[in-house]
Amino acid sequence: FYTYFNDLQDAYTYLYALALEEVHSPTIVGEDAPSGVSRSSSGTTFQRRVDAIVAFVLSVRSSKYYRLLANHIVNNESCVDTAPLMHVGAWSAGRGDATQGARGSDGSKPGAPDLNPVQWAVMTLSHEAIKEALAPDAPLREIASRLSVALRALLGENGRGA
């Protein structure tokens, strides 16, 4: 075990990154779009975001990693540091430790991205919708609809800022 991983956190981060890599893809549009996702690449910015979130949730729900991802997002996210995922390319590049470079030289966590208040609100609402949608028996259509209304209010009718 310790030949491949520094510790349990390192192993968890690696497995979580593999699971995310399998289910995470750019916005799915066109004929490959799952049922319930807009099949058009046109539309407002917020609707494309909602479609991408629905596609991600559907991908997670059908993944062999569903239990890991749902448990992490719903329960563990606040207590397990997966900030190293920003550097997970280190694994695929054969450089070893996925946590390499994830903390400052003083051991501090990297800061939040430099977002304006609207970008932060969109990010927060999007992640909360994903968290809610991955709970057992969650009504994905209702969550997506509520997110769409909220993003429209934040971003305006054209989806580019109120």
Side-chain angles (χ1 to χ4, degrees):
F1 177 83
Y2 290 103
T3 301
Y4 302 103
F5 305 106
N6 293 332
D7 54 26
L8 191 55
Q9 172 69 38
D10 191 34
Y12 183 91
T13 301
Y14 175 74
L15 182 59
Y16 185 69
L18 285 179
L20 279 181
E21 186 175 313
E22 180 179 297
V23 300
H24 208 305
S25 64
T27 303
I28 300 171
V29 295
E31 293 184 23
D32 293 333
S35 173
V37 176
S38 171
R39 296 185 187 283
S40 169
S41 60
S42 62
T44 60
T45 302
F46 67 83
Q47 191 56 52
R48 286 193 306 269
R49 177 178 290 276
V50 172
D51 288 347
I53 289 169
V54 169
F56 175 75
V57 169
L58 292 172
S59 182
V60 169
R61 285 180 175 180
S62 65
S63 169
K64 65 184 175 186
Y65 294 111
Y66 169 75
R67 289 177 44 196
L68 170 70
L69 292 167
N71 189 54
H72 176 80
I73 292 168
V74 173
N75 299 309
N76 294 343
E77 192 171 49
S78 62
C79 59
V80 176
D81 180 17
T82 52
L85 291 179
M86 293 172 17
H87 304 280
V88 80
W91 280 103
S92 59
R95 292 192 303 258
D97 184 6
T99 63
Q100 186 176 22
R103 295 185 179 269
S105 58
D106 63 353
S108 62
K109 288 184 182 180
D114 187 22
L115 302 174
N116 70 44
V118 173
Q119 291 170 325
W120 174 84
V122 168
M123 179 193 70
T124 301
L125 286 170
S126 298
H127 283 97
E128 191 58 32
I130 291 168
K131 182 177 178 178
E132 203 175 305
L134 289 178
D137 301 318
L140 182 55
R141 287 183 191 270
E142 290 174 28
I143 293 165
S145 177
R146 188 173 51 229
L147 178 62
S148 184
V149 169
L151 293 179
R152 179 179 290 123
L154 272 170
L155 300 173
E157 198 60 40
N158 67 5
R160 289 177 171 72

